[in-house]
Amino acid sequence: MRSESEFLYFLPIGGTATAPLAGLLHEIGHRVEGVDAHLYPPMSTLLEDLGIPVRLGYDPAKIPEDVDRVIIGNAVPRTNVEVAAVLERRLPHLAQAEAVAHYVLARGSQSLVVAGTHGKTTTSAMLAWILETTGEDPSYLVGGLPRWNARGFRLGGGRFMVIEGDEYNTAFFDRGPKFLHYRPHVFVLGPVEFDHADLYPNLEAVLTAFRAGAAQVPRHGAVVVNAWSDGSLAACRDATAPVVTVGEDADVDLRLRSWEGLPGGSRAVISWRGSDIEMEVHQPGLHNTQNAAVAVAAAAAVGVDPAAAAAAVASFPGVARRMEVVGETAGIVVVDDFAPHPTALAVTIAAARQKWPGRRLVIAFEPRSLTAARRSFQAAYLAALSGADLVLMAPPYHSDRLTPDEVLDRSELAEALAARGVASLMPERGDDPVMMLLPAITRGDVVVGCSSGDFGGFPRKLVDALQTGGTT
């Protein structure tokens, strides 16, 4: 077991994967510092609370001389000036995902890796909560902030470690998915579909990556599969470990027998290999009940009683930025949600309809990722956003990295939405989306801000504007 302390320098440190890892390594006993171009909550708050020094602005001259190893995240390219200096000076370095294996898993934990295109953060947090609540004393590393633990990580004394397994590239020098470094004892396959078009040319390439993850699981482990997803079922093809299926068909291992959506959450009956168990989920949306069922199955695969796991789900507090109410002012509810992709938008809209029935629903969306900006999702965005009453879509964040025929056509989308009776606002770059939206909303509305980034602080700025009398 690795115990000696090292001086670790994170380049960059403020991401949803790097900041919790920095905190976990700090808690293990390593000296940790880092750099980033900019920081924003909640990761900036996490690092400040932990007392981890962070420098803003890349400067090769300020890389600490006595650093033992540099931890490189996937947010920096080879052309970053500090990356160039690390390589030129031949400083020891690891990718963020490699560091998880080298410094954390080497301590002896059995890793429960939660992967999939959607639902990773919520499902991994649910699984961590189940294990913690049922006395397993787990460690975990989640790409978000659980509401019962404002850190997103935990160093436990038990045998299990829950890790959110991202399929995005590991680093500029390792284009494979992060989860291939996590040595899964249990590999959880949530919904799998085409995403990350900048890395994967087609769905088959995505499936190949997930199949490699499933194939890593030893025969004494398990692959837990979301059987609602054809992609997830296809991705477990090369598994030699036992496959545990979760779905609604009669032949699955854990079956969702019934589901009832309520404003306060959902009621469901699940059946684990023939035994019925009642389960309450206090996060809205059928997708969250499916996430919960997958988490229960993963816990059962490592020996947790399924009834105890389902009981733990009823007290699961949720995760920050997953249908998180930022404020309610002037009779308008403002919500922050991660939703980076058409499928995620669709389930977020369905969940909001469930939670706030009968209210006008306003979706403010920032296509933040390079994939989210692509015209290939035009029809999918139309289908998803047709479930809203009013749509505000910000300019695609990375449109300058795509050719004109590759980038989402917001004008065409606005026309298509109008034909379906959905009004829309399409601010241009430099416009203030809050000021554009204010005249269009009124008492009783629910506004959900959706982005995989900070959206310029949109939800909080909207609440502040409403508090100063921005609408009637």
Side-chain angles (χ1 to χ4, degrees):
M1 180 180 294
R2 180 175 300 276
S3 59
E4 63 273 15
S5 176
E6 295 186 15
F7 179 13
L8 306 176
Y9 179 71
F10 275 72
L11 169 61
I13 198 170
T16 56
T18 51
L21 177 60
L24 183 60
L25 295 179
H26 172 77
E27 188 156 314
I28 287 172
H30 297 288
R31 177 185 170 193
V32 178
E33 295 184 11
V35 65
D36 215 313
H38 55 82
L39 292 176
Y40 53 84
M43 296 307 162
S44 58
T45 307
L46 169 65
L47 294 166
E48 183 179 357
D49 290 346
L50 292 170
I52 294 176
V54 178
R55 174 170 48 82
L56 292 181
Y58 298 112
D59 183 348
K62 294 182 179 178
I63 297 174
E65 293 289 338
D66 56 340
V67 66
D68 290 305
R69 200 178 302 264
V70 179
I71 310 301
I72 298 178
N74 67 359
V76 287
R78 171 64 178 83
T79 53
N80 178 282
V81 292
E82 290 203 19
V83 167
V86 167
L87 299 178
E88 288 164 7
R89 298 175 197 174
R90 301 180 66 83
L91 296 179
H93 59 275
L94 290 173
Q96 169 264 327
E98 291 179 299
V100 173
H102 187 76
Y103 291 106
V104 183
L105 296 179
R107 295 165 57 88
S109 299
Q110 293 184 16
S111 61
L112 315 183
V113 179
V114 180
T117 310
H118 309 294
K120 293 185 292 294
T121 300
T122 297
T123 305
S124 55
M126 282 177 165
L127 179 55
W129 175 259
I130 289 168
L131 295 175
E132 191 172 344
T133 303
T134 56
E136 292 291 338
D137 194 17
S139 299
Y140 53 78
L141 195 56
V142 177
L145 296 185
R147 288 182 178 158
W148 76 95
N149 177 351
R151 295 181 167 192
F153 68 89
R154 182 179 191 266
L155 182 62
R159 55 188 171 136
F160 300 123
M161 177 162 189
V162 179
I163 309 175
E164 181 175 335
D166 191 358
E167 73 273 21
Y168 205 63
N169 68 301
T170 299
F172 71 87
F173 51 85
D174 181 349
R175 305 302 285 176
K178 293 179 185 178
F179 58 62
L180 291 183
H181 293 279
Y182 294 157
R183 308 174 185 174
H185 173 73
V186 172
F187 191 63
V188 179
L189 279 165
V192 175
E193 62 178 279
F194 179 64
D195 197 4
H196 305 306
D198 50 327
L199 290 177
Y200 300 106
N202 50 45
L203 176 59
E204 188 57 34
V206 174
L207 293 175
T208 297
F210 283 101
R211 284 168 181 153
Q216 285 187 321
V217 181
R219 293 181 186 276
H220 60 277
V223 178
V224 179
V225 178
N226 180 322
W228 285 282
S229 165
D230 291 339
S232 183
L233 288 167
C236 71
R237 184 187 69 187
D238 297 330
T240 57
V243 174
V244 178
T245 51
V246 183
E248 58 187 24
D249 295 333
D251 59 348
V252 297
D253 296 289
L254 189 150
R255 183 183 182 191
L256 180 61
R257 293 181 60 87
S258 66
W259 176 80
E260 180 185 7
L262 304 167
S266 303
R267 281 197 297 256
V269 175
I270 60 174
S271 177
W272 172 255
R273 295 175 177 170
S275 297
D276 286 355
I277 303 166
E278 293 185 359
M279 183 173 72
E280 292 184 5
V281 182
H282 294 293
Q283 288 68 47
L286 174 59
H287 68 293
N288 275 321
T289 300
Q290 293 172 345
N291 290 338
V294 169
V296 168
V302 295
V304 176
D305 175 64
V313 167
S315 59
F316 174 64
V319 181
R321 297 205 64 207
R322 299 319 187 264
M323 294 293 289
E324 179 178 7
V325 176
V326 177
E328 182 169 1
T329 303
I332 297 171
V333 177
V334 180
V335 181
D336 189 13
D337 194 82
F338 190 75
H341 180 281
T343 301
L345 279 173
V347 298
T348 291
I349 289 169
R353 292 290 189 198
Q354 177 189 329
K355 187 172 179 64
W356 293 283
R359 298 182 69 164
R360 194 172 78 131
L361 181 61
V362 180
I363 298 294
F365 175 57
E366 178 189 42
R368 181 79 176 199
S369 71
L370 189 60
T371 303
R374 289 182 178 268
R375 186 178 175 85
S376 56
F377 282 135
Q378 189 93 8
Y381 279 130
L382 175 61
L385 293 171
S386 294
D389 296 302
L390 171 65
V391 171
L392 180 146
M393 180 177 281
Y397 193 77
H398 289 297
S399 58
D400 57 337
R401 295 172 58 186
L402 298 169
T403 62
D405 61 329
E406 289 177 323
V407 73
L408 185 67
D409 189 330
R410 293 186 303 142
S411 296
E412 180 182 298
L413 182 61
E415 292 179 5
L417 285 170
R420 296 189 177 194
V422 179
S424 64
L425 302 170
M426 301 288 173
E428 298 301 326
R429 200 171 301 279
D431 291 342
D432 185 338
V434 170
M435 291 299 105
M436 179 174 282
L437 184 61
L438 279 174
I441 56 178
T442 189
R443 181 175 296 275
D445 288 353
V446 175
V447 182
V448 185
C450 301
S451 173
S452 59
D454 72 332
F455 202 167
F458 172 86
R460 174 49 57 191
K461 288 180 179 178
L462 179 59
V463 171
D464 291 344
L466 291 170
Q467 289 175 340
T468 57
T471 189
T472 56

